[in-house]
Amino acid sequence: MKKKPSLGSVYLVGAGPGDPGLMTLKGRRLIEEADCLVYDALGAPAMLGWAKPGCEKIYVGKRSGNHALPQEDINALLVSCAAKYACTVRLKGGDPYVFGRGGEEALALHAAGVPFEVVPGVTSAIAGPACAGIPVTHRGLCTQFTVFTGHEDAAKPESTLDIPGIAAAKGTKVMLMGMGRLRATMEALIAAGQGGNAPAAAVQWATTGRQRRVNATVATLADAVDAAGLGSPAVVVIGEVAALAEQLDFRSRLPLAGKRIVVTRTREQAGVLSEALAAQGAEVDELPTIRITDPTDRHDFASAVVDAPHYDWLVFTSPNGVKRFFRAFFAVYEDIRELGGARIAAIGAGTAAELKAVGLMVDVMPAKAVAEELIAEFDRKADDFGGVANSTVLWVHSEKGRRVVYDELMKRQAIVDECIAYNTVPETEDLSGARARLESEGADIITFTSSSTVRHFMELGIKLPEGCRIASIGPVTTATLAEYGLKPDMESADHTIPGLVEAILKAKS
Ligand code: SAH
């Protein structure tokens, strides 16, 4: 037997500049394995969803009105996590060692004898300008670049900022943490010999859907930033390369650039929709209104799964049902063949995809992902398999939800048993602050991907902000919206996630 070390490992992981797609593969794997995640504001909320169930998540950043945990306390916390958890991930925005105080955390871990590793990240100092169309080096324009912090007050005697050195430096200059003192720092640089007419740019929330860029000169940047209302976090770039943004800023040309879209699916499921919208340039806020839990009667669920090999038909009505069913199935059986020769029916491409992942093809699936259509498909295909009368059917579904499948198959003389695989409960936590943001800043579009997301959104008592348009995945969800007096502005034609994205793109153009 391996000896369990008394102290777990701590990984200082660079979370990249904001776009979760810019996280490293190693960083993502560590988040998935982590028993404890320590994070602050600049880590993308989507990354929290990568953690396994039961992972302890500790927020150490600033909350409106509250200060961030002091650095010494974070250091001590990391050391104490190592005593409690085998794998702790400390997520840090960008690269952990670029103005992230990652070095101090590593030194504290080293001093306490805690095994640690650093996983470098994509730094905003380079990726921020890049995603706004500014290469930090460019042949013929510059041969070096300097990165400096604008956090310090250059006029104060204790400042270690080398303003004359920066002003005299050749090539591109990149300033982080400089928005609070932007005007003073630009003035100090000019006073120290920096050319006031040199191109300059500020990029806020770079690499994310909230990205905004302002181009000006060193002398005019502070005014331009004020006029545009840009704030932190932003990178400031000084140098000839800043002018290339006009040609190279690909992000601002994406179809959903500048649109804030709210995704109301569960944290585990939001990813596919969020990524598809983000790829079109949208700023996506995940506001999960429901959470998937075990069914109330776990014993019933387990025995239904054990008995599954005895049925003629297995009917799956959601991806969650498939996932939960086979998690339980493979806890009991080792081989998919032990499921026997049952025919399989499914609603929705996502459900079929989950089935395919365990090696099962679907026999009956309607083109439209609604229960009525599944029944119609059963009727249409009745000749192929002799109808469902007297067949035994196991219906895998959630605790709440419609009973069309059960009622209609019973009407057709099938012998239907239920396998309640999961329950959906309201998500009351606002871990990422998405709910607060929706209420205070509004959004352009809110998406609903099921009736239960609508109901739970309403149950949470969240007010739809003024001017926010509604996108629905299909007629059932639309009907549920109507119960609350709401009418969607766009609806997916084929009731799928790609269809929903298409509807949003179409409504935009
Ligand atoms: N370790 C981080 C930097 C931490 S200091 C890194 O390597 O990126 C925090 C500063 O980083 C912010 O004040 C801002 O200047 C910059 N920053 C971080 N994320 C940013 C983003 N998405 N867009 C623009 N600037 C960002």
Side-chain angles (χ1 to χ4, degrees):
M1 216 173 85
K2 258 197 239 161
K3 202 169 158 268
K4 202 168 163 245
S6 55
L7 282 179
S9 296
V10 176
Y11 298 87
L12 303 178
V13 176
D19 173 357
L22 295 176
M23 161 62 86
T24 61
L25 292 174
K26 189 169 181 178
R28 173 159 188 162
R29 180 174 58 72
L30 285 167
I31 292 176
E32 287 167 353
E33 285 172 10
D35 304 301
C36 175
L37 256 182
V38 180
Y39 67 104
D40 44 39
L42 286 178
M47 293 176 189
L48 301 180
W50 298 342
K52 65 186 177 192
C55 171
E56 171 90 7
K57 299 177 187 121
I58 305 174
Y59 181 77
V60 294
K62 288 187 197 120
R63 276 262 156 86
S64 44
N66 290 330
H67 283 293
L69 213 57
Q71 190 61 49
E72 302 71 52
D73 293 2
I74 297 178
N75 297 352
L77 173 75
L78 292 178
V79 172
S80 73
C81 286
K84 246 169 104 183
Y85 304 101
C87 174
T88 298
V89 166
R90 164 68 167 127
L91 255 189
K92 297 182 74 72
D95 181 273
Y97 282 178
V98 178
F99 298 127
R101 304 188 73 169
E104 292 165 55
E105 295 175 11
L107 283 172
L109 292 166
H110 171 72
V114 173
F116 73 91
E117 278 185 40
V118 175
V119 180
V122 172
T123 179
S124 63
I126 297 173
C131 284
I134 305 172
V136 290
T137 72
H138 191 75
R139 203 174 144 87
L141 291 186
C142 65
T143 53
Q144 64 186 64
F145 65 93
T146 306
V147 180
F148 67 101
T149 168
H151 187 59
E152 289 184 35
D153 184 348
K156 287 214 172 128
E158 67 270 21
S159 169
T160 49
L161 206 57
D162 175 17
I163 288 288
I166 298 164
K170 293 198 168 41
T172 307
K173 298 155 201 180
V174 178
M175 176 170 72
L176 299 187
M177 296 186 283
M179 294 305 268
R181 309 195 38 78
L182 182 63
R183 189 175 297 276
T185 309
M186 293 299 119
E187 281 169 2
L189 282 173
I190 292 172
Q194 163 75 53
N197 289 328
V203 188
Q204 185 180 15
W205 290 118
T207 80
T208 76
R210 302 165 82 178
Q211 177 175 309
R212 289 179 69 204
R213 171 178 56 85
V214 160
N215 265 73
T217 65
V218 176
T220 59
L221 187 65
D223 285 339
V225 158
D226 284 349
L230 252 60
S232 288
V235 297
V236 171
V237 187
I238 297 172
E240 296 300 321
V241 289
L244 290 173
E246 299 303 337
Q247 296 159 75
L248 302 184
D249 184 352
F250 59 94
R251 272 204 79 99
S252 63
R253 290 194 283 266
L254 291 171
L256 296 178
K259 296 269 173 265
R260 179 182 296 174
I261 305 183
V262 175
V263 169
T264 55
R265 310 186 89 192
T266 62
R267 221 168 273 289
E268 293 73 23
Q269 289 177 300
V272 185
L273 178 56
S274 303
E275 278 164 29
L277 293 169
Q280 300 292 339
E283 169 194 350
V284 182
D285 260 351
E286 291 185 0
L287 196 165
T289 56
I290 53 178
R291 192 154 42 90
I292 306 292
T293 66
D294 285 327
T296 311
D297 197 331
R298 286 159 65 174
H299 183 77
D300 259 12
F301 170 52
S303 47
V305 172
V306 169
D307 288 342
H310 305 299
Y311 286 85
D312 301 319
W313 282 95
L314 299 176
V315 178
F316 295 95
T317 43
S318 70
N320 278 318
V322 179
K323 272 196 235 164
R324 293 259 164 179
F325 178 90
F326 283 101
R327 201 194 293 167
F329 181 85
F330 286 119
V332 181
Y333 300 102
E334 277 183 5
D335 190 324
I336 187 70
R337 285 172 293 186
E338 298 189 69
L339 189 58
R343 286 200 166 93
I344 296 190
I347 298 180
T351 309
E354 289 295 341
L355 285 162
K356 193 156 181 217
V358 292
L360 294 172
M361 301 306 284
V362 173
D363 300 286
V364 172
M365 184 169 94
K368 284 194 173 182
V370 283
E372 286 79 0
E373 289 294 322
L374 177 71
I375 299 302
E377 191 70 7
F378 262 115
D379 291 343
R380 271 195 291 274
K381 287 209 167 161
D383 285 345
D384 299 355
F385 47 76
V388 288
N390 302 317
S391 297
T392 52
V393 178
L394 186 65
W395 175 36
V396 181
H397 66 115
S398 80
E399 204 149 318
K400 296 169 196 133
R402 303 192 317 141
R403 303 198 51 81
V404 175
V405 169
Y406 184 85
D407 295 343
E408 292 298 319
L409 287 178
M410 288 292 267
K411 262 190 218 161
R412 287 161 179 74
Q413 319 295 323
I415 302 146
V416 187
D417 286 334
E418 295 186 55
C419 171
I420 297 177
Y422 62 95
N423 194 7
T424 50
V425 298
E427 175 66 274
T428 45
E429 267 180 291
D430 186 21
L431 270 184
S432 62
R435 179 177 170 174
R437 204 153 43 237
L438 177 67
E439 288 176 323
S440 62
E441 299 168 26
D444 297 294
I445 297 170
I446 184 162
T447 60
F448 291 105
T449 50
S450 67
S451 289
S452 61
T453 56
V454 177
R455 288 193 204 289
H456 285 104
F457 183 87
M458 297 304 163
E459 271 169 35
L460 288 175
I462 308 173
K463 270 237 179 70
L464 267 188
E466 198 73 16
C468 178
R469 297 193 300 158
I470 299 173
S472 157
I473 197 153
V476 177
T477 304
T478 297
T480 309
L481 283 164
E483 288 175 28
Y484 296 93
L486 297 170
K487 193 173 168 297
D489 302 274
M490 51 219 113
E491 187 186 285
S492 162
D494 62 358
H495 323 325
T496 63
I497 296 293
L500 184 61
V501 176
E502 212 168 286
I504 291 171
L505 286 171
K506 225 161 93 196
K508 209 240 150 194
S509 63

